Amino acid sequence: MAAERGGCSLEAVPLPPEVRESLAELELELSEGDITQKGYEKKRAKLLARYIPLVQGVDPSLQTENRVPGSSQAPAAVSKQQKSRSTNSRDERFRSDVHTEAVQAALAKYKERKMPMPSKRRSVLVHSAVETYTPPDNHSAPPDVTTGLVEHVHHERPQVASVRGVPRGYSSSILDTADGVPVNSRVSSKIQQLLNTLKRPKRPPLKEFFVDDFEELLEVQQPDPNQPKPEGNPVNVLKGEPLGVVTNWPPSLLAALQRWGTTQPKAPCLTALDTTGKAIYTLTYGKLWSRSLKLAYTLLNKLTTKNEPLLKPGDRVALVFPNSDPVMFMVAFYGCLLAELIPVPIEVPLTRKDAGSQQIGFLLGSCGVTLALTTDACQKGLPKAQTGEVVTFKGWPRLVWFVIDGKHLAKPAKDWQPHVRDASAEIAYIEYKTSKEGSTVGITISHASMLAHCHALTQACGYSEAETLTNVLDFKRDAGLWHGVLTSVMNRMHVISIPYALMKVNPLSWIQKVCSYKARVAVVKSRDMHWSLLAQRDQRDVSLSSLRMLIVADGANPWSISSCDAFLNVFQSRGLRPEVICPCASSSEALTVAIRRPPELGGPPPGKAVLSMNCLSFSVIRVDTEEKLSVLTVQDVGQIMPGANVCVVKVDGTPYLCKADEVGEICVNSGATGMAYFGLLGITKNVFEAIPVTAAGVPVSDQPFTRTGLLGFVGPDYLVFVVGKLDGLMTVSGRRHNADDVVATALAVEPMKFVYRGR
């Protein structure tokens, strides 16, 4: 033992038991490396200062501050302090020099053997008796330093697993000293912990700590022999109706705009509303054409840097417009197309460090965007630097902001004409998509795909010239862009754009506009139908009899069916016909995948499937009854788009065709899908160039398919059913669940009673 540390022997000094115990613990900490030599000396000096006035190496300040004033002898002061501390210290009945002797004996035995102490303590909560201890093999580890501690253990009483939870009044336990002599004593938790530490073998090599964990992680989940398995025949590629030949069909979308802008200049194209529901401006086809020409000319000829044009054909341009300004967005979009620039519509950044806009900034940087188009009102609302210019948002490239209000545009020269070409494979625009990980990618759409998609939507929806369409969706992307900005111009339709701010103030606004404008088509989401149900009591003099098609853009979500059914129950008495409700399924990569046809086009009757959720978790389709709670009720999303080929493939691994009663990912081969993820060749090949194969490994087509990210199957009458999305797929113990089902479950209960905020 190091009793001689500090230059003074402690044998003749009367130390209280708790001090001896603390010294022993301190020695153990030093030997284990839990404390430095300097820390050891400091703590030891504090312990001994009040008992040994002249110990060498002790800081005098520690001696003076720990002495009791007016006392000439330290032991007397100690006895007084012990009496005064009797209320907050352990009873002396539980103290004994045996404690210290046991520790010192154990340490002496360890010192004699010259063996290294364990460098790290293990938990004392070890539920194994001493008699089950097996010393380590001499060839694999050093001999046990505590062999003597377990030679004479009484087997009739097991070792105490943990002494931290033992009450103070616990009678006694058996303590083995280093000499193997059992001692009956009331053992303190510290001493018991120390002995338990010494009795344990040297810790195993680092890799052995992970063996058990790895075995658990690598353990292959054995399939349940009773789990359902698909039994149907493999489903072949499903072919959609051919695209019809339309007489006098424009060769491109820009050609259609030019035709309507010059031959029907006064025809209404788009009506914008303010937050009160009042129409503030109606853009005609003539104004859309002339303003788009001015913008295209200005972008190509009036924006320069160092006497060089700032932009050249093929450059990408960001479109930053709020959801309340569809008119200026439409002018900017078609102006870029006429200038042969590639528009990249994005959301207006909220703050300089907005997390969502950082991902958008990454997209802009990867696309090489240097110019952003916006309006004067929108630019004024953006955060500014001290110079008065728009700040550089976090993660964004440095941009030149250009306001496209009329006063900033130049009149085209008389000899300047835009290049209105036929639809080609060149990129027309880039639509952004945010994945479940939060990353943002840009999906390229070619001029040919844009035209083919407009053609397919026109045929599937039966659009005709001068029809009125009410659009409640975001006009910058997805169905709001496809129906309300692109296909509408192809057919010279009149779009009533409902801003989101108006919907928050008046959820019935879109129904009121359908009624007042006698709209034939409305494009909504299930949330809009749900909100209108909550407010419908305030408005009774509305009629939906003019609607021939109510397109539900998120009809693929499992909760949309309840909104559709509830909406029909309420508004059927106000002119809404059941066959008018047309859910559809779409994805950013494949655009519109399927849509239920309106009644005048002769589509099959609507379908509904009640499926066992247990079987769905194994990707198996089994029809169940609605009386059960563990079922998922889904509605069809109609038939596949004209001119498209569709198949369903397995989610994991090689894209084998699924069986008829098996859920898989829907894949589309069509001229009306996206081309690629801009600048991302790796994931582009996986998503846009999939080659489905039969069970024998034979490709089903020599043309690549596009993965939609939609999970579903093809039912009777070739109706498509979607039960979830790949982004929301969760695999737990070999079973698949979808995040949308969790949302559907929450919406199915009465939220005011069962769902609480923050839970």
Side-chain angles (χ1 to χ4, degrees):
M1 290 296 295
E4 300 297 328
R5 292 187 195 270
C8 178
S9 175
L10 302 180
E11 297 298 331
V13 180
L15 296 178
E18 66 268 17
V19 177
R20 290 186 177 275
E21 180 182 331
S22 299
L23 286 173
E25 294 172 1
L26 202 58
E27 291 279 352
L28 181 60
E29 290 180 3
L30 178 63
S31 63
E32 289 186 350
D34 292 343
I35 188 173
T36 63
Q37 180 67 32
K38 185 175 180 180
Y40 166 81
E41 295 289 352
K42 188 173 181 179
K43 289 187 177 181
R44 183 175 181 276
K46 285 185 178 181
L47 286 172
L48 299 178
R50 65 181 66 174
Y51 305 110
I52 307 176
L54 299 177
V55 174
Q56 296 181 8
V58 177
D59 189 348
S61 63
L62 295 176
Q63 297 180 2
T64 56
E65 71 179 7
N66 288 303
R67 290 182 183 178
V68 179
S71 176
S72 59
Q73 294 184 357
V78 171
S79 61
K80 293 181 180 180
Q81 289 182 3
Q82 287 178 343
K83 292 180 180 179
S84 63
R85 290 187 306 165
S86 60
T87 57
N88 56 11
S89 62
R90 287 183 291 179
D91 198 312
E92 280 298 312
R93 292 179 296 124
F94 295 90
R95 300 274 179 192
S96 172
D97 290 342
V98 177
H99 304 164
T100 306
E101 291 177 10
V103 176
Q104 292 179 348
L107 289 175
K109 197 160 187 80
Y110 140 73
K111 194 171 182 180
E112 290 172 3
R113 295 190 176 208
K114 302 290 185 183
M115 294 304 301
M117 292 292 288
S119 60
K120 187 172 181 62
R121 301 184 187 182
R122 298 195 183 184
S123 170
V124 299
L125 299 175
V126 178
H127 301 281
S128 59
V130 178
E131 60 264 29
T132 64
Y133 168 78
T134 303
D137 184 67
N138 290 334
H139 298 286
S140 60
D144 181 29
V145 300
T146 59
T147 304
L149 293 175
V150 294
E151 292 175 351
H152 305 286
V153 176
H154 290 238
H155 292 278
E156 60 270 20
R157 294 195 63 178
Q159 177 188 2
V160 179
S162 173
V163 296
R164 291 185 182 273
V166 178
R168 292 186 179 181
Y170 190 79
S171 60
S172 64
S173 62
I174 299 180
L175 173 67
D176 290 340
T177 66
D179 297 327
V181 180
V183 180
N184 288 323
S185 167
R186 307 182 190 281
V187 184
S188 70
S189 61
K190 287 287 186 178
I191 298 301
Q192 185 64 55
Q193 180 182 353
L194 183 148
L195 290 176
N196 290 343
T197 302
L198 292 176
K199 288 179 181 180
R200 293 191 184 94
K202 181 179 182 294
R203 65 179 180 178
L206 184 62
K207 63 180 183 179
E208 294 186 17
F209 278 105
F210 303 98
V211 172
D212 293 338
D213 294 342
F214 278 155
E215 289 178 354
E216 293 176 5
L217 291 174
L218 297 176
E219 183 181 357
V220 179
Q221 186 74 26
Q222 297 299 325
D224 183 358
N226 298 321
Q227 76 180 42
K229 295 180 176 60
E231 302 169 353
N233 296 321
V235 178
N236 295 323
V237 176
L238 180 64
K239 297 183 180 296
E241 62 190 272
L243 274 173
V245 178
V246 182
T247 58
N248 201 23
W249 185 257
S252 67
L253 185 58
L254 291 179
L257 174 60
Q258 184 180 34
R259 174 195 295 179
W260 305 131
T262 55
T263 63
Q264 300 283 342
K266 294 185 178 180
C269 173
L270 176 69
T271 297
L273 309 177
D274 61 12
T275 54
T276 65
K278 181 181 178 181
I280 54 176
Y281 187 80
T282 296
L283 178 71
T284 63
Y285 279 92
K287 285 291 185 182
L288 175 59
W289 171 248
S290 62
R291 290 187 181 183
S292 300
L293 279 179
K294 283 185 179 181
L295 178 59
Y297 177 79
T298 303
L299 293 176
L300 291 178
N301 298 279
K302 297 301 181 180
L303 298 182
T304 60
T305 172
K306 297 180 181 179
N307 297 325
E308 293 290 334
L310 181 64
L311 300 169
K312 61 182 183 298
D315 285 350
R316 276 73 61 191
V317 177
L319 272 53
V320 185
F321 295 88
N323 291 336
S324 58
D325 200 347
V327 171
M328 298 305 287
F329 172 82
M330 208 166 187
V331 171
F333 189 89
Y334 282 102
C336 288
L337 295 184
L338 285 172
E340 300 183 55
L341 302 172
I342 301 173
V344 185
I346 61 173
E347 303 298 332
V348 178
L350 301 178
T351 62
R352 185 177 181 276
K353 296 183 179 180
D354 180 39
S357 68
Q358 291 182 38
Q359 292 295 331
I360 293 293
F362 173 78
L363 170 65
L364 298 180
S366 63
C367 291
V369 173
T370 59
L371 179 74
L373 304 183
T374 188
T375 62
D376 187 49
C378 182
Q379 188 192 39
K380 289 180 179 178
L382 296 174
K384 304 291 192 301
Q386 292 182 351
T387 59
E389 298 179 351
V390 177
V391 299
T392 300
F393 295 95
K394 186 175 182 181
W396 284 41
R398 186 173 295 277
L399 299 178
V400 175
W401 292 82
F402 182 69
V403 174
I404 67 166
D405 295 67
K407 60 183 179 181
H408 300 282
L409 303 182
K411 187 177 181 180
K414 292 183 179 180
D415 59 345
W416 184 83
Q417 291 294 330
H419 298 286
V420 180
R421 302 177 179 176
D422 293 351
S424 65
E426 294 179 351
I427 300 176
Y429 69 96
I430 296 177
E431 185 170 328
Y432 81 88
K433 173 195 174 182
T434 303
S435 67
K436 65 178 180 180
E437 294 87 6
S439 58
T440 300
V441 295
I443 298 167
T444 59
I445 313 295
S446 69
H447 285 273
S449 294
M450 183 170 62
L451 179 67
H453 191 215
C454 291
H455 191 175
L457 284 177
T458 299
Q459 182 171 326
C461 301
Y463 286 142
S464 59
E465 289 184 25
E467 268 195 317
T468 302
L469 179 147
T470 301
N471 181 25
V472 190
L473 308 183
D474 183 4
F475 50 78
K476 297 189 294 295
R477 59 197 295 251
D478 294 338
L481 174 68
W482 307 333
H483 291 265
V485 175
L486 305 180
T487 309
S488 60
V489 170
M490 180 64 70
N491 294 281
R492 193 174 64 83
M493 298 171 66
H494 181 200
V495 176
I496 314 298
S497 184
I498 311 293
Y500 185 70
L502 174 59
M503 285 293 295
K504 291 196 294 185
V505 175
N506 180 13
L508 275 178
S509 57
W510 71 274
I511 296 179
Q512 296 167 351
K513 298 308 172 186
V514 166
C515 181
S516 60
Y517 283 93
K518 299 294 186 288
R520 301 278 288 156
V521 181
V523 186
V524 301
K525 284 189 175 181
S526 55
R527 66 165 189 215
D528 308 314
M529 305 168 73
H530 179 73
W531 287 354
S532 59
L533 289 174
L534 302 178
Q536 55 90 17
R537 296 179 182 177
D538 303 332
Q539 189 80 28
R540 298 186 178 276
D541 55 344
V542 294
S543 173
L544 297 177
S545 59
S546 65
L547 279 181
R548 68 171 185 84
M549 196 173 188
L550 178 59
I551 300 175
V552 184
D554 63 341
N557 288 331
W559 61 79
S560 65
I561 184 173
S562 59
S563 296
C564 292
D565 291 346
F567 188 82
L568 178 63
N569 290 337
V570 171
F571 287 95
Q572 190 169 7
S573 61
R574 303 182 190 182
L576 181 67
R577 293 170 292 157
E579 62 272 16
V580 163
I581 299 178
C582 298
C584 72
S586 62
S587 75
S588 300
E589 292 82 1
L591 309 186
T592 306
V593 177
I595 188 169
R596 190 185 291 174
R597 306 298 196 264
E600 62 266 21
L601 297 183
K608 185 172 70 170
V610 182
L611 307 175
S612 166
M613 294 194 71
N614 176 60
C615 295
L616 280 179
S617 67
F618 295 103
S619 299
V620 177
I621 303 164
R622 293 291 182 268
V623 178
D624 214 322
T625 58
E626 284 188 289
E627 288 75 20
K628 295 183 179 179
L629 295 176
S630 58
V631 296
L632 176 68
T633 303
V634 293
Q635 62 184 351
D636 73 281
V637 290
Q639 296 173 302
I640 65 174
M641 294 295 289
N645 298 322
V646 167
C647 65
V648 183
V649 301
K650 295 183 181 295
V651 175
D652 299 323
T654 305
Y656 289 105
L657 291 178
C658 287
K659 297 182 179 179
D661 58 344
E662 185 177 10
V663 173
E665 183 178 7
I666 300 173
C667 296
V668 177
N669 165 250
S670 169
T673 63
M675 294 171 55
Y677 294 119
F678 188 89
L680 302 172
L681 299 179
I683 59 175
T684 290
K685 185 173 182 62
N686 182 48
V687 173
F688 292 91
E689 301 175 18
I691 305 295
V693 295
T694 63
V698 180
V700 299
S701 172
D702 56 354
Q703 297 294 322
F705 280 68
T706 299
R707 292 178 177 269
T708 65
L710 301 175
L711 303 177
F713 60 94
V714 179
D717 295 325
Y718 302 109
L719 294 175
V720 178
F721 291 84
V722 177
V723 297
K725 295 184 178 66
L726 199 60
D727 275 353
L729 191 64
M730 302 178 293
T731 302
V732 182
S733 299
R735 300 176 63 178
R736 292 171 177 157
H737 308 276
N738 206 275
D740 289 342
D741 297 336
V742 180
V743 178
T745 303
L747 294 176
V749 301
E750 295 184 46
M752 299 304 293
K753 292 184 178 179
F754 301 104
V755 182
Y756 299 92
R757 181 176 298 177
R759 295 286 180 89

